[in-house]
Amino acid sequence: MGNVTWDMPEQDELNAGGNYLDVEGRHLLQITHIDEQPVNRDKAPIDGLKVDFAGAAGPHAGKKVDILFRAPKLNGKDGGKWARNKRAAFAIATGLIDESKLGQQVTIDVQAAINRLVVVDLEFGEPNENNKRFLDLKFANIYHVDDPKVADFMKAYPSIVGMLPKEHRRDPASFKTAAPNGNGSSAPAPQSQPAADDDLGDL
């Protein structure tokens, strides 16, 4: 008597729970890890880039959230435009490229984005098969901290921004402007958000 047999959780399941961000809206986040070869719970590869973020300040400091930036599917309904827009927004927000590279093919070191700060709009996605909803990027709304579109939001964090290395900053006047499209992004507004192939909860 006294011996029991238990099925133990995976490490990521053990660490899940109260340390995950669960509030929609605009957040100042720090990139903590980038997985260039993500897999789902069945260990099947996912074609994309999984980026781990943590709240950088305020009541959600340290809270975690994961966002998957999928590789564009040329045979998709939109020809991969949705995924390309999100990846481009990520690259600009992290300072890996600027708008002058739009429309070109670029080679970037995505790992260089680790520890950088970005402003991200988050919203809950559709429920998965287990009726769970997870935060995801709203449209392509991820911004560089010096982007004029988030200037009012960033007024709450002057000391944090002041400590950023010079190479992580941009002159606000250097950002390209475009007519607003109603979703908080200067990119063309999609007609609808494509359904995800793999829910982030499977990562």
Side-chain angles (χ1 to χ4, degrees):
M1 297 295 292
N3 292 332
V4 296
T5 301
W6 290 348
D7 291 324
M8 302 302 290
E10 299 289 342
Q11 182 68 44
D12 58 347
E13 295 176 310
L14 181 64
N15 293 335
N19 201 34
Y20 278 81
L21 188 59
D22 59 358
V23 178
E24 289 184 312
R26 180 160 287 180
H27 298 273
L28 179 63
L29 303 179
Q30 182 177 33
I31 296 169
T32 59
H33 180 74
I34 295 177
D35 188 351
E36 299 180 57
Q37 297 179 316
V39 297
N40 62 21
R41 284 190 177 179
D42 297 326
K43 307 304 180 184
I46 299 174
D47 194 6
L49 192 73
K50 186 172 81 73
V51 182
D52 297 347
F53 299 85
H60 307 300
K63 296 284 187 177
K64 301 176 183 178
V65 65
D66 306 328
I67 297 176
L68 186 65
F69 294 86
R70 298 179 178 279
K73 293 184 178 180
L74 299 180
N75 60 350
K77 291 182 179 180
D78 65 349
K81 291 181 181 178
W82 176 254
R84 277 197 298 274
N85 284 350
K86 291 177 72 172
R87 293 202 310 188
F90 170 79
I92 292 171
T94 54
L96 299 179
I97 65 169
D98 61 28
E99 295 86 346
S100 68
K101 299 298 184 181
L102 293 175
Q104 305 178 30
Q105 185 177 73
V106 298
T107 299
I108 57 178
D109 177 10
V110 293
Q111 298 297 327
I114 292 176
N115 293 325
R116 299 199 182 194
L117 297 183
V118 291
V119 178
V120 183
D121 289 345
L122 298 174
E123 65 179 0
F124 282 106
E126 295 297 319
N128 63 11
E129 65 276 6
N130 297 319
N131 204 34
K132 292 183 179 180
R133 301 172 70 209
F134 296 90
L135 286 174
D136 199 358
L137 182 65
K138 182 177 182 180
F139 299 107
N141 294 3
I142 178 170
Y143 306 101
H144 193 282
V145 294
D146 290 315
D147 192 320
K149 290 191 286 293
V150 296
D152 287 343
F153 174 81
M154 290 305 301
K155 288 178 181 177
Y157 306 104
S159 60
I160 293 177
V161 175
M163 293 188 295
L164 293 178
K166 184 177 180 180
E167 60 268 23
H168 292 183
R169 305 298 306 277
R170 278 185 65 177
D171 179 354
S174 70
F175 288 86
K176 302 296 183 182
T177 59
N181 61 22
N183 66 9
S185 170
S186 60
Q191 296 301 310
S192 61
Q193 182 172 351
D197 295 336
D198 302 284
D199 196 283
L200 285 181
D202 290 337
L203 293 176

